[in-house]
Each structure stands twice: as C-alpha cells, then as structure tokens.
Amino acid sequence: MIKAVDWQEGVLWIIDQTLLPHRVERRALTDYRGVAEAIRSMRVRGAPAIGVAAAFGVVLGAREILEKGEDFPQKFEEVLSTLAKTRPTAVNLFWALDRMRRVYEQSEHRTPKEMLRALEATAVRMLEEDIQANRAMGQYGQQLLQDGWTVLTHCNTGSLATVSYGTALGVIRAAREAGKEIKVIADETRPRLQGARLTAWECLEEGIPCTVIADGAAASLMRQGRIQAAIVGADRIARNGDVANKIGTYMVALACQAHQIPFYVAAPLSTVDLSLASGEEIPIEERPPEEITHIEGVRIAPEGVKVYNPAFDVTPAELVTAIITERGIAYPPYEKSLPSLFEQANKRFDRVPW
Ligand code: MRU
C-alpha cells in the first residue's frame, strides 16, 4: 500500500505529489522549514497527511533547536507558528500542532533528550493512529455501499491524502475488500486536478476500476442513473455538520440532493472542529491565481483577467446524508451526533513516561 508520509531514522519521507502521475519521487525532509514548504506547495496534501507531516516538522524543529543550543521556548514557538501558517483550512494541522505543544509542556522540565523522545513518540503514534482510523472508517463506511454501485469522489482522499489507506477512498477500498464490486468515478477537481492526477493514479496502482470525468459532468451522470452515491473527505467539519472540503464539493452535494443520491463524508474526528458552531466560521484558503490561469505552466486565460481562487467550499449540513468517522457513523442532527462520538472516545492523553 502507498505510504504518503513516513518516518525513518529521524527523516520524514514524503511522496512529492506535485510530480504525480508523471514521476513517483520520494523526498527526504530533514528540517521543519522544508516540511512547511512541502505543505504550502502541496507536495504533501490532504488534511490527515498535512497534520501528521506537521507533527514530524515539530520533531525536526525541536531537534534543530537542541542541536544549535538555542533558547528553546522562544524558538519552539517559531517552529509551531511557521508550520501553522502554511494552510488555514484543514483543522488537522492545528490539531496536530496543539497535541505536540501539550507534549512539550508536559516535558518542559525534563532533559532535552527525553523531551525530543516524547515528541517523536507522539508523532509516530499519530502516524499509526491515522492508518487505524482510516481502516475503522472503512469498516463502518463500507456498510453504506451496495455491491455493484458506482461511486463519485471529489479531490483525492486516498493513501496520498493520509498516511495510508485513505478516508473516502478508504471506504471504497474497504467495500471492495469485503467483496463488493464498486467502481469509482473521479471528478478531475480543477484547479489542482487531484482527481485526475492523484485519485486516478492511486486507483490504477491498486486495481480499483476508475473513470475520470470533468467536474461539470457529475450532475448529468447522476441524472442518467450512472452514479449511486458520492463520498468525499473533509478538511474541517463544524459542530453543526457543515463540511469544508475541496472547492466543487458543494456542487456535488447539490447535485446529489437533486437526484436523491446519498452524499457521504468520511473523516476522522481530528477533522471535526467542535469549537466552531457552523461552517461560516471556517477559514477558507485562497490560493494563487496562476492555479486558474495556467495548466502545467501553460497560460490558458488572457493576461490581466481577474481571478478568484478559493481552495475549499462549505457544504451545508442539510445536504450531508451521514458522516463516517473512526468511532462510527454520525447522522443528522449533527449537533447531537458529532459531540456524542467524542464523548465515547477515551480522553486521549499522550502519555510521556513521567
Ligand atoms: O488542497 P488539498 O489537496 O489538500 O485538499 C484535500 C481535500 O480537500 C480532501 O478532500 C480532504 O483533505 C480530505 S483528504 C482525506
């Protein structure tokens, strides 16, 4: 199985997703600035993968501060804020940084070596938990998919967007592992083409039948009865169940409603932000105009034209049939079902040895 993020002997390895599908190149990241650059430029992307990569960025930053003998508290804040400024929408990034900060606070009075060990152990745990969460989501979510269905996906939600296995694509994977003949229709996902470049590549690598369509084709295929469900991931889910995900997701959800097709969201609880009452409060990243005016470096829009390039949109909760998490499936009303999944979860403490 593809591993988008890996940690080996003090080095963070990622697959450089800007080069796919033309080249599969692993990149070694050895300092936190490199991790921040990789997140910002989307060499590593997808909410869960961003969170885990950032956690290792903290480990690399802490190691550097200790090696250089710099003032730890001040420099550590710099590391956290450099990583926090990379991408604003995926809450997994802030969730991971908060978790690392708590481990540091518990370790403040320990030796530098012990603190570094505790930070590294926590990041490794996050990496392992991500795979477990994806597999659990797969088990819950696959029960919603029927044998023979064709399922629409948007963006990339597979191994590449996580540590491995995937969220929404993980559910499809799990259904196929359970013996169901599920086919994928992948929206190309303009402007960064995560569907055409990444989902299609992953599906081909792993033998999942996949057809890429232009984003604008989805509704028409639904009308023709060629899609039985849509399943997407999320970058942040508010307390009321509003879902921020890749731009274009809202249109998919509207088309599903119009054709009475279920619209499922698969995301770990680390993507759920109970501190936000609704999707209106979710910060939406705006990316450079060149992502719209150019394709693979070739200009396609006239010079001087105005561009607006929000990277995400918010799908209102009333369009979401169910939210699949690693703790079970949440149904409306989400104000009740989402918090109750958190209550069931054991309160997580990153136990350090003291
Ligand atoms: O801009 P990206 O490629 O990082 O956006 C990714 C998505 O929108 C995914 O759907 C989301 O992060 C969930 S991935 C498991």
Side-chain angles (χ1 to χ4, degrees):
M1 177 111 20
I2 301 154
K3 225 170 170 192
V5 181
D6 206 4
W7 179 251
Q8 283 167 13
E9 290 161 34
V11 174
L12 178 62
W13 288 91
I14 58 159
I15 296 177
D16 186 342
Q17 298 187 35
T18 61
L19 305 175
L20 285 170
H22 311 299
R23 285 211 315 274
V24 185
E25 222 174 271
R26 295 211 316 149
R27 200 176 254 257
L29 302 175
T30 51
D31 72 83
Y32 78 93
R33 292 172 208 84
V35 177
E37 189 280 332
I39 295 173
R40 200 176 307 111
S41 60
M42 297 172 66
R43 295 183 204 286
V44 60
R45 46 141 302 279
I50 290 171
V52 173
F56 285 109
V58 174
V59 177
L60 294 171
R63 188 172 75 192
E64 183 181 312
I65 301 167
L66 296 173
E67 278 168 6
K68 289 187 175 165
E70 293 171 326
D71 173 45
F72 201 93
Q74 190 206 328
K75 283 280 172 184
F76 193 69
E77 281 312 315
E78 245 177 73
V79 170
L80 292 174
S81 91
T82 303
L83 291 161
K85 280 185 201 139
T86 49
R87 298 195 70 189
T89 304
V91 74
N92 307 59
L93 171 65
F94 307 99
W95 168 87
L97 295 177
D98 280 353
R99 205 165 149 186
M100 295 301 277
R101 181 199 291 279
R102 281 200 299 277
V103 170
Y104 157 64
E105 284 165 358
Q106 285 178 56
S107 322
E108 243 175 330
H109 304 296
R110 295 286 155 170
T111 67
K113 234 182 166 174
E114 284 173 333
M115 185 207 304
L116 197 56
R117 223 173 344 114
L119 288 170
E120 182 178 355
T122 304
V124 169
R125 200 172 310 132
M126 284 188 208
L127 182 143
E128 288 163 358
E129 283 170 4
D130 184 64
I131 301 173
Q132 288 160 13
N134 293 337
R135 288 206 174 262
M137 266 182 268
Q139 286 318 308
Y140 285 117
Q142 66 91 5
Q143 298 167 37
L144 301 170
L145 305 184
Q146 287 176 28
D147 191 16
W149 274 12
T150 297
V151 179
L152 180 77
T153 67
H154 193 72
C155 197
N156 170 264
T157 59
S159 292
L160 291 168
T162 58
V163 172
S164 197
Y165 203 76
T167 57
L169 198 58
V171 169
I172 291 169
R173 211 188 288 283
R176 290 184 56 83
E177 283 166 7
K180 298 178 196 175
E181 191 42 56
I182 305 288
K183 294 193 178 82
V184 171
I185 290 191
D187 276 346
E188 62 170 347
T189 319
R190 273 284 284 154
R192 293 289 295 227
L193 300 171
Q194 290 93 329
R197 293 191 306 108
L198 308 178
T199 302
W201 179 77
E202 268 196 49
C203 286
L204 290 188
E205 284 291 301
E206 305 202 3
I208 302 172
C210 173
T211 305
V212 177
I213 59 167
D215 296 327
S220 164
L221 265 70
M222 288 180 194
R223 192 173 171 84
Q224 293 165 30
R226 292 163 69 178
I227 293 171
Q228 282 70 52
I231 178 160
V232 301
D235 285 79
R236 199 184 291 228
I237 301 174
R239 196 165 65 232
N240 69 344
D242 289 351
V243 173
N245 190 49
K246 181 52 53 193
I247 193 77
T249 302
Y250 179 31
M251 290 206 306
V252 171
L254 284 169
C256 283
Q257 183 194 44
H259 299 95
Q260 291 166 13
I261 288 169
F263 175 83
Y264 297 123
V265 174
L269 289 181
S270 54
T271 302
V272 179
D273 187 350
L274 292 182
S275 75
L276 302 186
S278 82
E280 275 173 41
E281 296 169 49
I282 299 176
I284 300 294
E285 176 183 11
E286 243 186 85
R287 293 196 57 90
E290 291 72 27
E291 290 187 352
I292 304 279
T293 55
H294 291 67
I295 294 182
E296 305 246 302
V298 178
R299 176 174 278 284
I300 52 145
E303 225 157 310
V305 74
K306 278 196 207 143
V307 172
Y308 176 49
N309 183 19
F312 300 95
D313 60 25
V314 175
T315 299
E318 56 269 24
L319 297 181
V320 179
T321 311
I323 299 176
I324 302 152
T325 78
E326 73 274 36
R327 293 269 163 187
I329 301 175
Y331 291 97
Y334 295 111
E335 286 89 346
K336 284 204 176 128
S337 56
L338 285 175
S340 87
L341 289 178
F342 277 88
E343 282 154 27
Q344 285 167 33
N346 303 327
K347 273 219 148 64
R348 181 165 30 211
F349 289 109
D350 284 307
R351 272 201 211 102
V352 289
W354 37 88

